[in-house]
Amino acid sequence: MTTPFSRRTLLGGAFAGFSALSLAACGVSQNDDTDVALSNEEVTLRFTWWGSDARHALTQQAIDAFQKENPKIKVKGEFADWQGYWDRLATTFAANDAADIVQMDELYLRTYGDRGQLLDLARTREFLKTDGFSDLSLASGQAKGVQYALPIGNGSMSVVVNTRLFDKYGVDVPDDTQWTWDDFQEIAAKIMKDSGGDVAGAGALGVEAGQLTIWARQHGGEVFDDEGKVVLDPAVPAQMWELTRAMAGQGAPKAESTAEQLTAPLNQTWLVLGKQAMNFNYNTQITSLQAATKEEKFELLQLPQAADGSSPGFYYKPSMYWSIASGSKHPAEAAKFVDFLASSPAAAKILGTDRGIPANEATLTAIRADLDPTSELAAAFNDKVASVVSDPPPLTPAGASDINNLTGRYMQEVLFGRQKPADAGRKYVQELTASVENAQ
Amino acid sequence: MSVVSEIRTLRKPSGRSGRKGRGVKTHDGKAAVVFLAPWIIGLVAITAGPMLMSLYLSFTDYNLLSNANFTGLENIQRMLDDTRLAKSLTVTMVYVFVSTPIQLAVALGLAVVLDRGLRGLSLYRSIFYLPSLLGSSVAVAVLWKRVFGVDGLFNQFLSLFGIDGPGWISQPSTALSTLILLHVWTFGAPMVIFLAGLRQIPREFYEAASVDGASRRQQFRNITLPMLSPIIFFNLVLGLIGAFQSFTQAFIVSDGRGGPSDSTLFFTLYLYQQGFVNFSMGYASALAWLLLLIIAVFTAINFWASKFWVFYDN
């Protein structure tokens, strides 16, 4: 009976196989002081990103354009979908076989950066210009003063409004420079009531970390500090989920519908299906939301603010980043390529807004006239909040990359009545802190 | 060789025939080594070596991106304080010990029915076996999500009777049950093995019993069950081990989260999250060994308990 034994060991074996391969090679690459210079030889770079088929095609076009300009540099693209991307990225870095240019997300930036896996882009300044980026944008790729990455696109947490439903139930779209969370709750409840419960007023608040971060900043705090420590006051999530709980079934969907929407694809969410009048999304998501429906009409509003009128807490969050592996043998060429992607008008024309509304202002200007109407809405929203955004929050530290799921999980504990908001807030901070400490 | 006789051979006190064979034809030994080489190399390079490595990593703080530091028993200490680990163990135990017996009962029941010489047996057998091939696939897990959603097929069916069903998958109290159901549905593999086992039971036993006036039920209890007990045991061992390692279903249905609120957080899913999301690979290695230990203990208990109910015919 050999079958059970081999099946039993399969997990441990497969798992360990990967670990052993990776351990042998890790921890080699470090930032040192050697000069970053172009090679005289022909150089091949590896470039990895996640995304859809459309993105793969556009990116390949950009690569071709770059190779035409730089015949001595070859770029080999490697791509995957979101989930597979991170599993593979971790293993390739662990095996010291990382691509040279890596598309990064805020959730993982510090995980890689703090462990010496990403090149400090200050060292490649000669080849990688950052003139087009505002200081706020650049700051969103820094931790402890090191420029780990360059933001590609900028977004901001917003409330997406279905104007068809607002019209249908005779509710005025509020003045979003003034509105408070009380107004938000009231409007959502009114729409749900007037529709006889057919339409929810708003999606659940506090299902992910972006909303939590803004809520914390509106109450004078942050989730993390620049050292990567958890500094969140447990009262912050508690208060936020207090509102979430109060709105469930009274303006927002009931607990189980919220739970279902958490894992639903975009075109199956209630906002797109015309069953919900407002939802929290990054402004740049409006293009995908609008593309998923012809019947509904969407607009963007700023997030509501706290009634006491303290800081609105808004900030630009990069849609994604360019970074260079510190183990890259050709950092100068890699920097040249990133510079092409981030700043060249030719690349901007090819890539458009596929990776978000460009954070590079010169690039955005170059393509602004060609934007489709919903992308223009997103770009206009970025302009609109420019006067109220403040410094970006400190980057998510290692050990907290799962913060969105963690936040959604505790919110559900509250929604399903399994924990009081105060307890959930306390345990949430405990678990987040433990997870971050375990990763240090 | 049939499954029954195979198991019987394995259960014999010690392989007398094996030893004799080796003694007689020694030159076969070299050939055996040559033929075994691919397997041995695979075992050492792909299974044993990495397993030892993961055992070592269990005692480190390995995070994939930096060097592993030996931390002694810290990972075990961490397990003791880990409430999500406790939760995932509970979820897994419920899943394993509810779904496996039900699955085996369904498989046995259908096998008995099919064994009565139904017309088109091979067709039915294939149809019932199909879910086993599909059940752990991504496609079926996606389908499951659709069937048991708020507006899913199942609720549409219920609404025919005026019942307003909840979102079975999105509610913590029912989410695990849908996964148990999915597992039970994959009864085909044990069913086929049961069918093979039933075929091995001499018909004369039943004929003799019916001459003596035994009812169908008595025949089942006094002939079928004891004669089939080695097969039941075999299926039980395999089933428990397989269920402990379930991953795909929960991963797809809950989008890799184990939600809603950890109600489908399988042990393997938690292990994956620790290793590949939090990069706590040292801890994840320790968890993998914990799973190995748990499965080993339950399998040992299973073998020990088999003395009391498994009947061998020689």
Side-chain angles (χ1 to χ4, degrees), chain A residues 3-43:
Chain A
T3 326
F5 183 74
S6 62
R7 284 184 64 179
R8 184 198 322 160
T9 51
L10 189 69
L11 182 82
F15 189 74
F18 143 74
S19 303
L21 283 175
S22 55
L23 185 77
C26 70
V28 176
S29 51
Q30 290 297 332
N31 283 319
D32 53 30
D33 293 328
T34 50
D35 271 348
V36 172
L38 290 172
S39 162
N40 296 321
E41 317 273 304
E42 187 166 289
V43 159

CSV table of all heavy atoms in Angstrom, one decimal, chain A residues 3-43:
chain,number,residue,atom,x,y,z
A,3,THR,N,0.5,3.8,-2.0
A,3,THR,CA,-0.2,5.1,-2.4
A,3,THR,C,-0.3,6.1,-1.3
A,3,THR,O,0.0,7.2,-1.4
A,3,THR,CB,-1.5,4.7,-3.0
A,3,THR,OG1,-1.4,3.5,-3.7
A,3,THR,CG2,-2.0,5.8,-3.9
A,4,PRO,N,-0.9,5.6,-0.1
A,4,PRO,CA,-1.1,6.6,0.9
A,4,PRO,C,0.2,7.3,1.4
A,4,PRO,O,0.2,8.5,1.6
A,4,PRO,CB,-1.7,5.8,2.1
A,4,PRO,CG,-1.9,4.4,1.6
A,4,PRO,CD,-1.4,4.3,0.2
A,5,PHE,N,1.2,6.5,1.4
A,5,PHE,CA,2.5,7.2,1.9
A,5,PHE,C,2.9,8.3,0.9
A,5,PHE,O,3.2,9.4,1.3
A,5,PHE,CB,3.6,6.2,2.1
A,5,PHE,CG,4.8,6.8,2.6
A,5,PHE,CD1,4.9,7.2,3.9
A,5,PHE,CD2,5.9,7.1,1.8
A,5,PHE,CE1,6.0,7.8,4.4
A,5,PHE,CE2,7.0,7.7,2.2
A,5,PHE,CZ,7.1,8.1,3.6
A,6,SER,N,2.9,8.0,-0.3
A,6,SER,CA,3.4,9.0,-1.3
A,6,SER,C,2.4,10.2,-1.3
A,6,SER,O,2.8,11.3,-1.5
A,6,SER,CB,3.6,8.4,-2.7
A,6,SER,OG,2.4,7.9,-3.2
A,7,ARG,N,1.1,9.9,-1.2
A,7,ARG,CA,0.2,11.0,-1.2
A,7,ARG,C,0.4,11.9,0.1
A,7,ARG,O,0.3,13.1,0.0
A,7,ARG,CB,-1.2,10.5,-1.2
A,7,ARG,CG,-1.6,10.0,-2.6
A,7,ARG,CD,-3.0,9.6,-2.6
A,7,ARG,NE,-3.9,10.8,-2.4
A,7,ARG,CZ,-5.2,10.6,-2.4
A,7,ARG,NH1,-5.8,9.5,-2.6
A,7,ARG,NH2,-6.0,11.7,-2.2
A,8,ARG,N,0.6,11.2,1.2
A,8,ARG,CA,0.8,11.9,2.4
A,8,ARG,C,2.0,12.9,2.3
A,8,ARG,O,2.0,14.0,2.8
A,8,ARG,CB,1.0,10.9,3.5
A,8,ARG,CG,1.0,11.6,4.9
A,8,ARG,CD,1.6,10.7,6.0
A,8,ARG,NE,1.2,9.3,5.9
A,8,ARG,CZ,2.0,8.4,6.5
A,8,ARG,NH1,3.0,8.7,7.2
A,8,ARG,NH2,1.6,7.1,6.4
A,9,THR,N,3.0,12.4,1.7
A,9,THR,CA,4.2,13.2,1.7
A,9,THR,C,4.2,14.2,0.5
A,9,THR,O,5.1,15.0,0.5
A,9,THR,CB,5.5,12.3,1.5
A,9,THR,OG1,5.2,11.4,0.4
A,9,THR,CG2,5.7,11.4,2.7
A,10,LEU,N,3.3,14.1,-0.3
A,10,LEU,CA,3.3,15.0,-1.5
A,10,LEU,C,3.4,16.4,-1.1
A,10,LEU,O,4.2,17.1,-1.6
A,10,LEU,CB,2.0,14.7,-2.3
A,10,LEU,CG,2.0,15.4,-3.7
A,10,LEU,CD1,3.0,14.7,-4.5
A,10,LEU,CD2,0.6,15.3,-4.3
A,11,LEU,N,2.5,16.8,-0.2
A,11,LEU,CA,2.5,18.2,0.2
A,11,LEU,C,3.8,18.7,0.7
A,11,LEU,O,4.4,19.6,0.3
A,11,LEU,CB,1.4,18.4,1.2
A,11,LEU,CG,1.2,19.9,1.6
A,11,LEU,CD1,0.4,20.6,0.6
A,11,LEU,CD2,0.6,20.0,3.0
A,12,GLY,N,4.3,17.9,1.8
A,12,GLY,CA,5.5,18.3,2.4
A,12,GLY,C,6.6,18.3,1.4
A,12,GLY,O,7.5,19.1,1.4
A,13,GLY,N,6.6,17.3,0.5
A,13,GLY,CA,7.7,17.1,-0.4
A,13,GLY,C,7.7,18.2,-1.5
A,13,GLY,O,8.8,18.8,-1.6
A,14,ALA,N,6.6,18.4,-2.1
A,14,ALA,CA,6.5,19.5,-3.1
A,14,ALA,C,6.9,20.8,-2.6
A,14,ALA,O,7.7,21.6,-3.1
A,14,ALA,CB,5.1,19.5,-3.7
A,15,PHE,N,6.4,21.1,-1.4
A,15,PHE,CA,6.6,22.3,-0.7
A,15,PHE,C,8.1,22.5,-0.4
A,15,PHE,O,8.7,23.5,-0.6
A,15,PHE,CB,5.8,22.1,0.6
A,15,PHE,CG,5.7,23.3,1.3
A,15,PHE,CD1,4.9,24.4,0.9
A,15,PHE,CD2,6.5,23.5,2.5
A,15,PHE,CE1,4.8,25.5,1.6
A,15,PHE,CE2,6.4,24.7,3.2
A,15,PHE,CZ,5.6,25.7,2.7
A,16,ALA,N,8.7,21.4,0.2
A,16,ALA,CA,10.0,21.5,0.6
A,16,ALA,C,11.0,21.6,-0.6
A,16,ALA,O,12.0,22.2,-0.6
A,16,ALA,CB,10.4,20.2,1.4
A,17,GLY,N,10.5,20.9,-1.7
A,17,GLY,CA,11.4,20.9,-2.9
A,17,GLY,C,11.6,22.4,-3.3
A,17,GLY,O,12.8,22.7,-3.6
A,18,PHE,N,10.6,23.1,-3.3
A,18,PHE,CA,10.7,24.5,-3.7
A,18,PHE,C,11.6,25.2,-2.7
A,18,PHE,O,12.5,26.0,-3.1
A,18,PHE,CB,9.3,25.1,-3.8
A,18,PHE,CG,9.3,26.5,-3.3
A,18,PHE,CD1,9.8,27.5,-4.1
A,18,PHE,CD2,8.9,26.8,-2.0
A,18,PHE,CE1,9.9,28.7,-3.7
A,18,PHE,CE2,8.9,28.1,-1.6
A,18,PHE,CZ,9.4,29.0,-2.4
A,19,SER,N,11.4,25.0,-1.4
A,19,SER,CA,12.1,25.7,-0.4
A,19,SER,C,13.6,25.5,-0.5
A,19,SER,O,14.4,26.4,-0.4
A,19,SER,CB,11.7,25.3,1.0
A,19,SER,OG,10.3,25.5,1.1
A,20,ALA,N,14.0,24.2,-0.8
A,20,ALA,CA,15.4,23.8,-0.8
A,20,ALA,C,16.1,24.5,-2.0
A,20,ALA,O,17.2,25.1,-1.9
A,20,ALA,CB,15.5,22.3,-1.0
A,21,LEU,N,15.4,24.5,-3.1
A,21,LEU,CA,15.9,25.2,-4.3
A,21,LEU,C,16.2,26.6,-4.0
A,21,LEU,O,17.2,27.2,-4.4
A,21,LEU,CB,14.9,25.1,-5.4
A,21,LEU,CG,14.8,23.8,-6.1
A,21,LEU,CD1,13.7,23.8,-7.1
A,21,LEU,CD2,16.1,23.5,-6.8
A,22,SER,N,15.3,27.2,-3.3
A,22,SER,CA,15.4,28.7,-3.1
A,22,SER,C,16.4,29.1,-2.1
A,22,SER,O,17.1,30.0,-2.2
A,22,SER,CB,14.0,29.2,-2.7
A,22,SER,OG,13.6,28.5,-1.6
A,23,LEU,N,16.5,28.2,-1.0
A,23,LEU,CA,17.4,28.6,0.1
A,23,LEU,C,18.8,28.8,-0.3
A,23,LEU,O,19.5,29.7,0.1
A,23,LEU,CB,17.3,27.6,1.2
A,23,LEU,CG,18.1,28.0,2.4
A,23,LEU,CD1,17.3,29.1,3.2
A,23,LEU,CD2,18.4,26.8,3.3
A,24,ALA,N,19.2,27.9,-1.2
A,24,ALA,CA,20.6,27.8,-1.6
A,24,ALA,C,21.1,29.2,-2.1
A,24,ALA,O,22.3,29.5,-2.0
A,24,ALA,CB,20.8,26.7,-2.6
A,25,ALA,N,20.2,29.9,-2.8
A,25,ALA,CA,20.6,31.0,-3.5
A,25,ALA,C,20.3,32.4,-2.9
A,25,ALA,O,20.6,33.4,-3.4
A,25,ALA,CB,20.1,31.0,-4.9
A,26,CYS,N,19.5,32.4,-1.8
A,26,CYS,CA,19.0,33.6,-1.4
A,26,CYS,C,20.0,34.5,-0.6
A,26,CYS,O,21.0,34.0,-0.2
A,26,CYS,CB,17.8,33.4,-0.5
A,26,CYS,SG,18.2,32.7,1.1
A,27,GLY,N,19.6,35.7,-0.5
A,27,GLY,CA,20.4,36.6,0.4
A,27,GLY,C,21.7,37.0,-0.3
A,27,GLY,O,22.6,37.5,0.4
A,28,VAL,N,21.8,36.9,-1.6
A,28,VAL,CA,23.1,37.2,-2.2
A,28,VAL,C,23.2,38.7,-2.6
A,28,VAL,O,24.1,39.4,-2.3
A,28,VAL,CB,23.3,36.3,-3.5
A,28,VAL,CG1,24.6,36.8,-4.2
A,28,VAL,CG2,23.4,34.9,-3.1
A,29,SER,N,22.1,39.1,-3.2
A,29,SER,CA,22.1,40.5,-3.8
A,29,SER,C,22.0,41.5,-2.7
A,29,SER,O,21.2,41.4,-1.8
A,29,SER,CB,21.0,40.6,-4.8
A,29,SER,OG,19.8,40.2,-4.1
A,30,GLN,N,22.7,42.5,-2.8
A,30,GLN,CA,22.6,43.6,-1.8
A,30,GLN,C,22.9,44.9,-2.6
A,30,GLN,O,23.6,44.9,-3.6
A,30,GLN,CB,23.7,43.5,-0.7
A,30,GLN,CG,23.4,42.4,0.3
A,30,GLN,CD,22.1,42.6,1.0
A,30,GLN,OE1,21.7,43.7,1.3
A,30,GLN,NE2,21.5,41.5,1.4
A,31,ASN,N,22.4,46.0,-2.1
A,31,ASN,CA,22.8,47.3,-2.6
A,31,ASN,C,24.2,47.6,-2.2
A,31,ASN,O,24.5,47.6,-1.0
A,31,ASN,CB,21.8,48.4,-2.1
A,31,ASN,CG,20.5,48.4,-2.9
A,31,ASN,OD1,20.5,48.1,-4.1
A,31,ASN,ND2,19.4,48.6,-2.2
A,32,ASP,N,25.1,47.8,-3.1
A,32,ASP,CA,26.4,48.2,-2.7
A,32,ASP,C,26.8,49.5,-3.4
A,32,ASP,O,25.9,50.2,-4.0
A,32,ASP,CB,27.5,47.1,-3.0
A,32,ASP,CG,27.4,46.7,-4.4
A,32,ASP,OD1,27.1,47.5,-5.3
A,32,ASP,OD2,27.7,45.5,-4.7
A,33,ASP,N,28.0,49.9,-3.4
A,33,ASP,CA,28.4,51.2,-3.9
A,33,ASP,C,29.0,51.2,-5.3
A,33,ASP,O,29.5,52.2,-5.8
A,33,ASP,CB,29.3,51.9,-3.0
A,33,ASP,CG,28.6,52.3,-1.7
A,33,ASP,OD1,27.3,52.5,-1.8
A,33,ASP,OD2,29.2,52.3,-0.6
A,34,THR,N,29.0,50.0,-5.9
A,34,THR,CA,29.6,49.9,-7.3
A,34,THR,C,28.8,50.8,-8.2
A,34,THR,O,27.6,51.0,-8.1
A,34,THR,CB,29.6,48.5,-7.8
A,34,THR,OG1,28.3,48.0,-7.7
A,34,THR,CG2,30.5,47.6,-7.1
A,35,ASP,N,29.6,51.4,-9.2
A,35,ASP,CA,29.0,52.4,-10.1
A,35,ASP,C,28.0,51.7,-11.0
A,35,ASP,O,28.2,50.5,-11.4
A,35,ASP,CB,30.0,53.0,-10.9
A,35,ASP,CG,30.5,54.3,-10.2
A,35,ASP,OD1,29.9,54.7,-9.2
A,35,ASP,OD2,31.6,54.8,-10.7
A,36,VAL,N,26.9,52.4,-11.3
A,36,VAL,CA,25.9,51.9,-12.2
A,36,VAL,C,26.3,52.5,-13.6
A,36,VAL,O,26.3,53.7,-13.8
A,36,VAL,CB,24.5,52.3,-11.8
A,36,VAL,CG1,23.5,52.0,-12.9
A,36,VAL,CG2,24.1,51.7,-10.5
A,37,ALA,N,26.7,51.6,-14.5
A,37,ALA,CA,27.1,52.1,-15.8
A,37,ALA,C,26.6,51.2,-16.9
A,37,ALA,O,26.4,50.0,-16.7
A,37,ALA,CB,28.6,52.2,-15.9
A,38,LEU,N,26.5,51.8,-18.1
A,38,LEU,CA,26.1,51.0,-19.3
A,38,LEU,C,27.2,50.1,-19.7
A,38,LEU,O,28.3,50.4,-19.6
A,38,LEU,CB,25.7,51.9,-20.4
A,38,LEU,CG,24.4,52.8,-20.2
A,38,LEU,CD1,24.3,53.8,-21.4
A,38,LEU,CD2,23.2,51.9,-20.2
A,39,SER,N,26.8,48.9,-20.2
A,39,SER,CA,27.7,47.9,-20.7
A,39,SER,C,28.0,48.2,-22.2
A,39,SER,O,27.2,48.8,-22.9
A,39,SER,CB,27.2,46.5,-20.6
A,39,SER,OG,27.8,45.6,-21.4
A,40,ASN,N,29.2,47.8,-22.7
A,40,ASN,CA,29.5,48.0,-24.1
A,40,ASN,C,28.9,46.8,-24.9
A,40,ASN,O,28.8,46.9,-26.1
A,40,ASN,CB,31.0,48.0,-24.3
A,40,ASN,CG,31.6,49.2,-23.6
A,40,ASN,OD1,31.0,50.3,-23.7
A,40,ASN,ND2,32.7,49.1,-23.0
A,41,GLU,N,28.7,45.7,-24.2
A,41,GLU,CA,28.2,44.5,-24.9
A,41,GLU,C,26.7,44.6,-25.1
A,41,GLU,O,26.0,45.5,-24.6
A,41,GLU,CB,28.4,43.3,-24.0
A,41,GLU,CG,29.8,43.3,-23.4
A,41,GLU,CD,30.8,42.7,-24.3
A,41,GLU,OE1,30.6,41.5,-24.7
A,41,GLU,OE2,31.8,43.3,-24.6
A,42,GLU,N,26.2,43.7,-25.9
A,42,GLU,CA,24.7,43.5,-26.0
A,42,GLU,C,24.2,42.9,-24.7
A,42,GLU,O,24.8,42.0,-24.1
A,42,GLU,CB,24.4,42.6,-27.2
A,42,GLU,CG,22.9,42.6,-27.4
A,42,GLU,CD,22.6,42.0,-28.8
A,42,GLU,OE1,22.9,42.6,-29.8
A,42,GLU,OE2,22.1,40.9,-28.8
A,43,VAL,N,23.1,43.5,-24.3
A,43,VAL,CA,22.5,43.1,-23.0
A,43,VAL,C,21.1,42.6,-23.1
A,43,VAL,O,20.3,43.2,-23.9
A,43,VAL,CB,22.6,44.3,-22.0
A,43,VAL,CG1,21.6,44.2,-20.9
A,43,VAL,CG2,24.0,44.6,-21.5
